[in-house]
Amino acid sequence: MEIALRGIGVSPGIAIGPALLYGVQTIDVPKYRVNDKAAEVARFETAANEVRKDLQLLYEQTAEELGQSNADIFRAHLMILDDVDFRKEIAERVHSEGLNVEHLIDEYIAKHSRALQSLGDPRFQEKIKDLLDVGSRILAKLLNTTSENLSHLERPSVIVAHDLSPSDTANLDMVNTLGLATDLSGPTSHTAILARALEIPAVVGLRYVGEHTMPGDIVILDGTTGQVIIRPTEATLAHYIAEKKRLEEERKALISAETHRRNVTLDGYEVPILANIELPQEISHSLRNQAEGVGLFRTEYLYLNRDSLPTEEEQFEAYAQVAATFKPRIVTLRTLDLGGDKFASHLRMAPEINPQLGWRAIRFCLERPDIFKAQLRAMLRASIHGNVQIMFPLISGVDELRRVKEVVKEVAADLERRSVPFNKKIKLGSMIEVPSAVMIADLLARECDFFSIGTNDLIQYSIAVDRVNEKIAHMYEPAHPAILRMIHSTVRAAKAARIPCSICGEMAGDPLFAELLVGLGVDELSMSSVAIPLVRAEINEIRMTGAKRFARRLLNVETSAEVRAQLLKRFRARRSVQALLDTSPVQAR
Ligand code: PEP
Ligand code: MG
C-alpha cells in the first residue's frame, strides 16, 4: 500500500528509486545440519563476542561525538546481545536440533519480532528494530558479509536512515545516491547543507521513515515540498516521473538563461554572489553556476572521515588549489568550525549536554593552538596563490577576536622569520553569528577587515532553536523580526566602520529574501552553488531604491508571519507561484 509522509524538504529536486535502509541489512541465511555441535555453539559465542566489542566501541564513540542520548541505542543493543535467554535458547537448539546457528538466530529474531508485532503497540516498534539490528550484526559476523558503506553503493538508491551525520553525507557515493530521507535533523543542519551542496534531493525530519520502508521499496522523495511516498501506486509514480522531468528541464533552462547574466539590479547596482563550499567536488559546481568567488569555505570537512589530522601540507594544497582556481576572485577561508553537529572522531572531543553552546569552532581552536596554528600557516602560505582572506567562526567578544589576531600575528612572524612567502596584507574577518557579536558589532568592526553574517547560527542562538532538531524546526524562522533587525544593525555597524558585510548563512540562498537583504544594505551574498541562478534571477529583477524602501518597511513589521506574507506577496508579483514552490528549499515548509 502506498504511504505518504511529510518531512522538511532541504535540498531541491525529485528522487525516485529503490530504498537502501542505512543501518539495516538484509542477509540470505543458509540452513544446514552440523555434526560438531559444541564447535557450532562456540562459533556463535565468538561472533557474539565480536559484536559486543563493536557495539561497545560504537557506544563510546557515539556518546563522545553525539552525546549520551544518541548513544543509548547501542546500550539497548548490548542488552539484547547479552540476554541470557537468547544465548541459552540458541545453544540448546543447536544441541537438540543439530542445525547451524545462523538459521536458529534468524528464526529466533523472526519469532520474537512477530510476538512483539502481535501486541499491536507502536512503542514496541523500536524494540523490533533493535532486535533486527542485533540479529543482522551477528549474522554478518557469522557469514562474513561486509558492513554497510555509503561510499560504495551497489546500485542507484534512495538512502533511508534514522539519521545521517555530516561525515556520512560527506562520504556518499555521488554516482549512485539518488536522494536522502532521514527521521532526524533540521533545515540548516550540516547534513542538509551538504546535501544541497552536492545537489542531492533530501528530506529530513520525517520521524518514522525507516519504520514504513522495507529494503528495495520504491521511494519517491520531493526535496522541495518535503513529501516522501513509499511504494507508490502506478498513477503516483507516473505523476512524479513527469514532474521530475519537468523540473529538470526548467532548471536547465534557468541555468542556461542565467549563465551569462551579471549580478546587477535593474538600476545598475552590483550585488556579488559567491559560493559556499565544503568539499573539493563543489568547486566545479560553483564555477558552473558562475560564482564570483568563495564567500565561505567550510574547512572542517578536510578533518572529517579520516583517522588523523590533515597535515599543514595537505591543507596548504587544498587552500592553494581553491585560491588558484578562483583567482583573481576572492576566496574566504573559514578556520576550523568543529563541534556543534560536526565531529572528527580522531579528535576525541568529549560529549557535551549542549554541543551547539559548547566547545565549538574558535573556542576549540584557541585551546588547541597546535591545530589552529598549523591551519593558519597553511592558509597564510596559500594566500600568495590567489585572493585569499581568512574568517573566524563563532566570535562572541572583542577579547576573543584579539586573542585570535594575536595567534595570527605569531604565525605570520614565524613565517617571516623563515622567509616563507605570504600576503602580509591578508584581510581578517569576523563571522557575526552570535547575538553578543551583533550587540557589539561596532566594536568588532574596529578590529577586523570584514564581516560575514552566519544566519544559520544567528537564528539558532537568537530564537533559542537548535538548528538540528526536527521537533522545533517550525520555529526556525529567518523571517523573524529579530533576525531582520540584527542583520540591519550589523550592516549599519559595518558601514560606519567602512568595512564590507556579507551573508553566508542559508538565508542568503533563498530567493525569497534576496530583495530584503539587498535593501538592508548587505554587500555580498554567499550560498550553496545550487541556489546561485535562482538568486541571480531575483537580483536581476529588483531595483535598489525599491529594495531599500521595502526593507525599511519590513523592519517595522511585528510578526514573522506578516514578514513572510509581505515577502511572498512581493515575490509573487515578480514570479509565478509555481516557480516559487519549485525553487525555494528553505521557505517551502
Ligand atoms: C552560519 O552559521 O550561518 C554559517 C554560515 O556557518 P555554519 O552553517 O557552517 O555554522
Ligand atoms: Mg555558523
Side-chain angles (χ1 to χ4, degrees):
M1 197 184 63
E2 174 175 303
I3 292 180
L5 300 174
R6 178 65 78 133
I8 308 163
V10 294
S11 180
I14 290 175
I16 304 174
L20 183 146
L21 267 61
Y22 185 54
V24 182
Q25 285 204 338
T26 48
I27 297 170
D28 279 336
V29 180
K31 178 182 178 185
Y32 54 89
R33 301 207 72 78
V34 292
N35 295 325
D36 189 344
K37 294 172 182 171
E40 190 63 6
V41 174
R43 214 161 67 78
F44 168 54
E45 291 298 341
T46 306
N49 287 339
E50 283 175 17
V51 170
R52 179 181 303 101
K53 271 193 219 142
D54 290 352
L55 286 171
Q56 192 63 41
L57 190 69
L58 274 170
Y59 171 71
E60 284 162 16
Q61 280 178 348
T62 311
E64 187 176 306
E65 293 173 12
L66 298 175
Q68 190 61 40
S69 59
N70 286 302
D72 281 345
I73 182 160
F74 298 113
R75 203 181 348 227
H77 289 185
L78 278 164
M79 282 168 71
I80 293 173
L81 183 71
D82 288 333
D83 179 355
V84 184
D85 291 339
F86 168 49
R87 312 283 280 251
K88 207 163 118 202
E89 182 172 329
I90 300 296
E92 281 176 4
R93 286 190 66 191
V94 171
H95 285 294
S96 62
E97 297 172 36
L99 289 169
N100 64 314
V101 284
E102 290 89 342
H103 170 71
L104 297 175
I105 293 168
D106 196 38
E107 276 204 348
Y108 179 94
I109 302 290
K111 182 177 77 181
H112 286 270
S113 304
R114 269 198 308 273
L116 286 169
Q117 194 90 52
S118 69
L119 298 174
D121 185 334
R123 283 173 303 175
F124 289 125
Q125 289 300 330
E126 273 305 311
K127 176 95 181 154
I128 294 173
K129 287 185 94 174
D130 292 346
L131 258 176
L132 290 171
D133 195 283
V134 174
S136 40
R137 277 180 194 279
I138 307 176
L139 290 175
K141 287 279 181 216
L142 287 163
L143 297 167
N144 206 14
T145 54
T146 50
S147 58
E148 293 163 298
N149 185 347
L150 291 181
S151 62
H152 298 287
L153 306 186
E154 273 172 23
R155 57 173 175 163
S157 308
V158 173
I159 295 172
V160 174
H162 183 58
D163 194 15
L164 288 174
S165 67
S167 323
D168 290 330
T169 316
N171 211 15
L172 289 177
D173 178 336
M174 288 299 296
V175 177
N176 284 323
T177 303
L178 301 174
L180 306 175
T182 69
D183 285 335
L184 303 186
S185 208
T188 61
S189 66
H190 285 96
T191 297
I193 289 173
L194 213 52
R196 247 188 321 275
L198 299 173
E199 301 187 10
I200 298 172
V203 178
V204 301
L206 284 153
R207 300 195 184 190
Y208 310 107
V209 65
E211 261 148 51
H212 294 287
T213 319
M214 296 295 289
D217 275 353
I218 293 297
V219 173
I220 298 172
L221 171 162
D222 185 333
T224 301
T225 61
Q227 184 82 48
V228 169
I229 298 165
I230 303 152
R231 297 182 291 278
T233 61
E234 296 226 333
T236 309
L237 193 58
H239 166 77
Y240 274 96
I241 289 172
E243 189 59 8
K244 178 171 159 61
K245 193 159 167 254
R246 186 187 71 74
L247 281 179
E248 283 168 358
E249 276 163 10
E250 202 174 276
R251 182 159 174 83
K252 252 191 236 149
L254 178 67
I255 289 174
S256 62
E258 289 297 318
T259 301
H260 299 294
R261 289 168 75 173
R262 290 169 51 224
N263 304 321
V264 182
T265 62
L266 285 173
D267 46 355
Y269 286 88
E270 291 241 16
V271 183
I273 300 183
L274 293 83
N276 292 351
I277 62 172
E278 289 77 23
L279 303 170
Q281 61 257 47
E282 290 175 61
I283 297 174
S284 57
H285 294 201
S286 322
L287 292 172
R288 196 174 66 228
N289 287 307
Q290 311 267 305
E292 289 188 71
V294 175
L296 167 63
F297 182 173
R298 290 184 167 98
T299 59
E300 52 276 6
Y301 283 87
L302 291 171
Y303 290 67
L304 302 183
N305 290 316
R306 49 186 301 150
D307 299 328
S308 56
L309 287 167
T311 62
E312 177 188 324
E313 211 49 37
E314 253 176 272
Q315 295 190 66
F316 162 72
E317 274 164 28
Y319 306 149
Q321 188 209 344
V322 180
T325 307
F326 280 90
K327 189 178 175 183
R329 290 163 287 183
I330 206 114
V331 168
T332 312
L333 302 175
R334 179 176 75 182
T335 59
L336 193 55
D337 185 357
L338 283 174
D341 66 342
K342 284 172 291 191
F343 297 90
S345 50
H346 55 88
L347 283 173
R348 308 194 82 74
M349 291 159 84
E352 296 180 342
I353 293 174
N354 291 313
Q356 299 284 4
L357 300 178
W359 200 39
R360 199 195 138 178
I362 205 67
R363 302 165 183 188
F364 170 82
C365 285
L366 283 171
E367 292 201 18
R368 288 297 305 263
D370 52 332
I371 295 176
F372 194 29
K373 283 185 173 176
Q375 183 174 47
L376 288 170
R377 268 196 303 275
M379 288 180 168
L380 287 175
R381 285 173 53 205
S383 66
I384 55 163
H385 292 277
N387 188 359
V388 171
Q389 55 185 17
I390 302 178
M391 130 174 130
F392 307 104
L394 216 73
I395 294 294
S396 60
V398 170
D399 38 0
E400 196 174 41
L401 184 56
R402 285 186 186 153
R403 281 176 67 203
V404 169
K405 281 167 58 189
E406 219 29 68
V407 182
V408 177
K409 234 194 222 164
E410 281 171 34
V411 172
D414 171 54
L415 291 177
E416 218 166 340
R417 238 186 341 265
R418 294 190 283 125
S419 307
V420 179
F422 65 96
N423 173 10
K424 300 197 175 69
K425 294 200 173 129
I426 192 163
K427 293 200 162 76
L428 304 178
S430 171
M431 286 197 72
I432 302 291
E433 50 183 353
V434 179
S436 61
V438 175
M439 296 303 290
I440 55 160
D442 56 330
L443 307 178
L444 289 172
R446 294 183 201 151
E447 304 273 336
C448 62
D449 302 309
F450 65 94
F451 278 166
S452 187
I453 305 178
T455 48
N456 301 339
D457 278 316
L458 188 58
I459 295 167
Q460 146 164 281
Y461 296 129
S462 306
I463 313 179
V465 51
D466 183 345
R467 62 194 271 191
V468 300
N469 187 337
E470 71 289 347
K471 294 192 197 79
I472 43 169
H474 60 282
M475 291 182 66
Y476 190 93
E477 180 50 279
H480 194 299
I483 303 303
L484 272 45
R485 289 175 185 214
M486 289 206 187
I487 295 172
H488 178 59
S489 92
T490 305
V491 169
R492 280 212 333 206
K495 292 215 183 303
R498 296 177 192 280
I499 63 167
C501 180
S502 63
I503 293 205
C504 62
E506 297 306 292
M507 189 177 178
D510 188 336
L512 189 70
F513 290 98
E515 184 182 22
L516 168 65
L517 296 179
V518 170
L520 286 172
V522 173
D523 297 298
E524 289 174 358
L525 302 171
S526 189
M527 62 198 68
S528 280
S529 301
V530 70
I532 292 178
L534 313 168
V535 174
R536 181 182 293 126
E538 275 304 289
I539 300 293
N540 289 163
E541 288 185 29
I542 62 172
R543 285 180 193 281
M544 183 60 87
T545 43
K548 281 190 174 154
R549 261 199 313 276
F550 179 53
R552 263 199 306 276
R553 208 168 68 230
L554 282 200
L555 281 172
N556 290 314
V557 171
E558 290 170 358
T559 66
S560 315
E562 182 57 19
V563 171
R564 210 164 253 285
Q566 296 223 22
L567 288 168
L568 272 168
K569 193 169 152 205
R570 193 95 171 170
F571 193 94
R572 282 187 176 128
R574 283 196 294 272
R575 309 193 150 235
S576 75
V577 178
Q578 194 51 50
L580 165 71
L581 294 175
D582 289 344
T583 55
S584 175
V586 177
Q587 72 80 36
R589 294 192 265 136

